[in-house]
Amino acid sequence: MSDIEKAIAGDEPSLVPYVTAGDPEPEATAEYVEALAAGGADVIELGMPFSEPIADGPTIQNAIQRALAAGTTPERFFEIVETLDVDVPLVCMTYYNLLYQYGDRKEGSDYERLRPFVRRAAEAGISGLIIPDLPVDESDPLREACDEFGVDLIFVVAPTTTDERLEAMRERVSGFVYVQARLGTTGAQADVSDATHESLARLAEWSVPKAVGFGVSEREHAEEIVATGADGVVAGSVFVDIVAEGDADEGTVAERLEAKAAELKAGALDGADERSGKVTDGAR
Amino acid sequence: MSTTKFGEYGGQYVPEVLMPAIEELTDAYERYVLENEDGFMDEFRERLADFGGRPTPLQRADQLSERYDADVYLKREDLLHGGAHKLNNALGQVLLAKYMGKERIVAETGAGQHGTATAMAAAHLDMPCEIYMGRRDINRQRPNVFRMRLNGAEVVPVTVGRGTLKEAINETMREWATSVEDTHYVIGSIVGPHPFPRMVRDFQAVIGEEAREQIQDKAGRLPDSVVACAGGGSNTMGAFHEFVPDAEDGDTTLFAVEAGGEGLFVDEDEGVAPHSASLSSGDEGVLHGARTKLLQDADGQIVESHSVSSGLDYAGVGPELSYLVDEGHVTPVSVDDDAALEGFHRLSQVEGIIPALESAHAVAFLEQQLGPDGVPAGTAERDLGDVIVLNLSGRGDKDLESAIEETEKRDIDAAPDMGVFHE
């Protein structure tokens, strides 16, 4: 079992917060990541900024632009990761072209071109990758490189994913499966979609843990997601919003990141209580 | 099943949420376009004729022919309804969306020609339509914005980044990801995930099919060369597709003329390429759902492109063109902004045809190779020959505002006296 799997499938429900590395500047990230860990994060997802983030909504896109403007290159991202002092596993979320172009080699098989990135990521302390524009059908070269360096490869399951594609993912996924709670791109939303219930039911037999994301911003969302049966909750835009606002009267960015993480974690714990309560009721 | 790739190029690199829509579209493409199920292609061809005005003429350009001592023929896509080749594809895709039972159209546009064509096709086929357009392009292309609105489309400004086509595509993909169940995204060029590059090419291939027949009627033989401008590459592949076997046989040379802008280099510190010549100078990478040649920095960040013509201003290019260039069947060349403006004025003056600034790049390539002061460069073994077909992809009315502005910045021989604007 990988570190990520252990962290998400542990005794209590887990929280996977996201921030974009280098937003608003590379120097800020370490403090934010430590605050998220202090707030109860079990795995932290770090965005490596790419200029064309087609799977992300405007909130994260703006964060990416700030990070790029502040000079957050892939190499700078790895340097940031190397400075982090947290004991939770880290996942890098980015887009395929950055993996493909990393390193000096500009030709060769996909596996050969992807290998330097994965090796560097593993050395820097990254435990898993989420590459939203790499479909499972094209993922074998990256899967091979990830296996070589002990890095998990996490896939996103959408409400629209077909059974055939689910099966392909099931064979290749490791760490956890990222369940997209609704259609669209990332972004904080008012409620958690019914699609979550259906998606979790479809993944019930999978051996990897399931974390649900897209639109999670409140304690109640986390509670509902975990009560529905998820092992973990992924939340991004709500944290990126806090970074975007900067220090405020209610507290510094780090203080508010920690408080928000603690709030969502508490919601997840409530959801677990609710779920075990339901199970007990059902057993009677 | 059709393959998703051209050699190593192409593929389907999109977020999972879009995959079912792409699979559904692939299925519809194979059934309706390739198999003509329910007579789809018959209806498409009929509407192209009656609504679109096909076939478009292949006209011998007498003055240009004399100037270059060659037979220069213009494929007049500027005479298609809406004033550009874009209608071929827009009509095909909106009709396909109807056959698929979709209820709504979204599209993105750079120069506005694709947006205009999509708005027209959507009005013609009674489909609601939203067009995403970069804020900067909205300012550069006001007449087209107004035409889209006239045809009942919503125009949604995209303000992120520099507000050009690249950002508009990102935004439309996001919108599609949210509404994928009832919405079709009409991609405007031979770019994006499979099946778009193939499907758009098939809808545009009518250009080359007609031209190949017409040139044999008029000149009695195949052309020595076919010349077309290349941004994303839809008019290029449309004009070339039918001639690819001739290119393989060595009978015809296919020239893709890219926007050389202000020079063929990339400023990595600024993240900007002052050109849009991805075939001539791009590196392989993945953008907007496809693997293709891209303008990017050493890290793989996509850089901002530039062209005096917003229709060519894109950091990528169709995967099929990348493949054909690697295979040696298409020759990429480029001309700069100044030369394109000269071409714009020259064709207007000598032939009475105001070309789109995109097409003016192709016109300029002829002057560069064959004109009195021309300096043929690097194409000695692959010259233009005696019979030349130039695809005039669109008319320049939409570009008049930028043409005035850009002409005033330069000293252009073929331009009229610009003093009239200052009296």
Side-chain angles (χ1 to χ4, degrees):
Chain A
M1 205 182 250
S2 71
D3 290 347
I4 292 180
E5 233 167 288
K6 276 184 229 158
I8 296 195
D11 295 337
E12 45 179 55
S14 51
L15 174 68
V16 186
Y18 165 98
V19 285
T20 301
D23 170 28
E25 59 204 5
E27 293 71 24
T29 302
E31 189 190 0
Y32 298 166
V33 168
E34 282 155 26
L36 292 170
D42 299 279
V43 170
I44 294 171
E45 197 188 325
L46 276 178
M48 174 189 280
F50 175 54
S51 57
E52 319 300 319
I54 57 173
D56 286 299
T59 304
I60 292 179
Q61 178 172 30
N62 289 332
I64 285 170
Q65 283 192 331
R66 290 191 294 268
L68 283 173
T72 315
T73 61
E75 191 45 41
R76 189 81 181 83
F77 175 96
F78 291 130
E79 289 164 13
I80 292 170
V81 171
E82 282 169 335
T83 66
L84 296 180
D85 182 22
V86 288
D87 58 2
V88 300
L90 301 168
V91 169
C92 168
M93 191 282 209
T94 193
Y95 289 80
Y96 191 60
N97 201 47
L98 296 189
L99 280 71
Y100 194 67
Q101 305 301 340
Y102 190 82
D104 298 331
R105 190 177 180 135
K106 296 299 179 199
E107 53 191 26
S109 70
D110 281 11
Y111 161 73
E112 287 167 322
R113 290 196 55 163
L114 296 167
R115 204 174 167 273
F117 183 99
V118 182
R119 183 175 61 196
R120 180 75 179 95
E123 281 169 6
I126 290 291
S127 303
L129 297 176
I130 301 177
I131 314 297
D133 66 339
L134 179 67
V136 65
D137 330 56
E138 300 279 358
S139 67
D140 284 344
L142 183 59
R143 177 74 266 175
E144 190 182 344
C146 284
D147 286 344
E148 185 179 347
F149 296 105
V151 173
D152 281 322
L153 183 56
I154 294 143
F155 289 104
V156 179
V157 168
T160 47
T161 300
T162 58
D163 291 343
E164 195 185 349
R165 299 184 60 76
L166 271 189
E167 206 44 48
M169 285 182 204
R170 184 177 181 170
E171 285 167 17
R172 292 169 179 83
V173 70
S174 64
F176 69 93
V177 54
Y178 185 153
V179 181
Q180 180 176 333
R182 57 180 171 79
L183 291 181
T185 52
T186 57
Q189 293 282 315
D191 57 26
V192 178
S193 160
D194 288 347
T196 307
H197 301 247
E198 262 179 59
S199 296
L200 286 173
R202 297 170 75 199
L203 306 176
E205 303 299 314
W206 289 30
S207 57
V208 292
K210 297 110 204 158
V212 176
F214 272 58
V216 177
S217 59
E218 305 288 337
R219 178 174 178 142
E220 293 71 29
H221 301 157
E223 181 180 343
E224 190 184 337
I225 283 170
V226 172
T228 306
D231 301 293
V233 174
V234 186
S237 296
V238 66
F239 293 107
V240 172
D241 278 337
I242 291 171
V243 174
E245 282 162 27
D247 292 338
D249 294 344
E250 312 85 69
T252 63
V253 171
E255 284 163 2
R256 283 179 296 137
L257 287 174
E258 182 176 339
K260 181 51 89 172
E263 176 198 324
L264 296 182
K265 178 78 179 184
L269 290 166
D270 291 347
D273 289 346
E274 207 176 301
R275 192 165 82 202
S276 58
K278 273 180 191 162
V279 169
T280 316
D281 289 347
R284 277 175 197 154
Chain B
M1 194 184 134
S2 57
T3 167
T4 69
K5 296 206 170 163
F6 305 94
E8 292 182 349
Y9 299 105
Q12 300 176 314
Y13 297 86
V14 293
E16 180 58 29
V17 68
L18 290 180
M19 283 307 298
I22 283 170
E23 287 176 346
E24 183 190 355
L25 182 63
T26 304
D27 179 60
Y29 163 63
E30 288 171 1
R31 290 198 287 129
Y32 296 121
V33 180
L34 300 182
E35 308 288 336
N36 193 29
E37 192 171 306
D38 298 342
F40 171 83
M41 285 304 283
D42 302 327
E43 179 174 351
F44 171 54
R45 293 292 164 120
E46 195 179 318
R47 288 183 188 273
L48 267 186
D50 295 347
F51 176 68
R54 297 215 76 92
T56 61
L58 181 75
Q59 178 211 342
R60 186 173 187 278
D62 293 337
Q63 276 71 244
L64 279 189
S65 295
E66 189 177 335
R67 181 177 177 91
Y68 299 140
D69 193 22
D71 286 317
V72 178
Y73 291 86
L74 304 175
K75 180 59 177 165
R76 297 288 308 274
E77 289 301 292
D78 60 314
L79 292 180
L80 190 66
H81 177 49
H85 72 291
K86 294 287 187 187
L87 184 74
N88 299 323
N89 168 50
L91 189 62
Q93 286 199 49
V94 176
L95 187 63
L96 187 66
K98 276 238 132 149
Y99 273 62
M100 291 170 72
K102 299 287 177 184
E103 291 164 10
R104 173 173 171 264
I105 292 295
V106 294
E108 93 299 312
T109 195
Q113 281 304 103
H114 171 58
T116 302
T118 305
M120 283 173 173
H124 171 63
L125 291 163
D126 192 23
M127 283 275 251
C129 170
E130 267 175 45
I131 311 281
Y132 290 76
M133 189 168 183
R135 167 54 67 191
R136 186 176 137 91
D137 284 338
I138 286 180
N139 295 338
R140 286 199 282 186
Q141 299 289 344
R142 291 191 305 170
N144 267 341
V145 174
F146 190 59
R147 286 208 290 171
M148 288 181 253
R149 300 297 310 271
L150 276 175
N151 285 307
E154 284 296 317
V155 177
V156 185
V158 176
T159 52
V160 294
R162 298 204 181 199
T164 59
L165 179 59
K166 174 165 85 69
E167 287 79 21
I169 293 179
N170 292 339
E171 199 59 32
T172 318
M173 285 208 165
R174 289 193 188 104
E175 165 53 34
W176 194 31
T178 311
S179 60
V180 65
E181 286 167 322
D182 65 357
T183 300
H184 176 66
Y185 172 14
V186 180
I187 286 189
S189 193
I190 55 164
V191 301
H194 175 79
F196 283 106
R198 253 170 233 276
M199 181 174 71
V200 176
R201 176 206 69 197
D202 289 350
F203 289 142
Q204 293 291 0
V206 63
I207 301 172
E209 282 163 28
E210 288 175 6
R212 195 169 184 279
E213 231 172 82
Q214 289 165 326
I215 191 71
Q216 292 183 95
D217 281 351
K218 297 205 171 200
R221 65 176 179 94
L222 287 170
D224 295 311
S225 54
V226 180
V227 182
C229 62
S234 73
N235 96 86
T236 334
M237 256 340 284
F240 288 177
H241 182 57
E242 206 64 15
F243 291 101
V244 167
D246 305 320
E248 288 170 3
D249 292 343
D251 295 334
T252 300
T253 305
L254 306 175
F255 289 103
V257 187
E258 298 195 283
E262 292 157 8
L264 289 191
F265 60 93
V266 172
D267 183 337
E268 295 217 352
D269 291 338
E270 293 293 319
V272 171
H275 62 91
S276 308
S278 27
L279 283 174
S280 308
S281 64
D283 292 319
E284 189 182 336
V286 173
L287 174 66
H288 294 146
R291 181 180 294 211
T292 188
K293 290 182 189 285
L294 303 174
L295 301 177
Q296 53 188 323
D297 67 15
D299 288 330
Q301 308 289 0
I302 308 305
V303 300
E304 296 289 341
S305 56
H306 160 81
S307 168
V308 68
S309 158
S310 45
L312 300 180
D313 192 350
Y314 180 55
V317 65
E320 186 172 16
L321 274 175
S322 294
Y323 170 73
L324 290 173
V325 164
D326 281 4
E327 294 292 301
H329 302 321
V330 166
T331 305
V333 293
S334 63
V335 301
D336 65 19
D337 285 347
D338 290 359
L341 273 164
E342 285 275 4
F344 177 85
H345 286 289
R346 181 169 305 104
L347 193 71
S348 306
Q349 294 258 322
V350 306
E351 295 287 354
I353 300 169
I354 301 171
L357 277 173
E358 292 89 332
S359 314
H361 284 76
V363 175
F365 177 63
L366 260 54
E367 180 74 10
Q368 186 179 300
Q369 295 291 306
L370 306 173
D373 306 318
V375 186
T379 53
E381 304 141 45
R382 296 169 160 272
D383 60 19
L384 283 154
D386 300 324
V387 178
I388 301 163
V389 170
L390 188 151
N391 191 36
L392 203 63
S393 61
R395 67 175 192 224
D397 306 45
K398 70 179 171 69
D399 292 320
L400 293 183
E401 283 193 34
S402 19
I404 293 168
E405 191 186 315
E406 296 291 335
T407 301
E408 287 195 305
K409 291 185 201 161
R410 295 165 166 88
D411 183 17
I412 290 178
D413 289 346
D417 179 7
M418 300 301 284
V420 65
F421 295 107
H422 303 290
E423 280 165 12

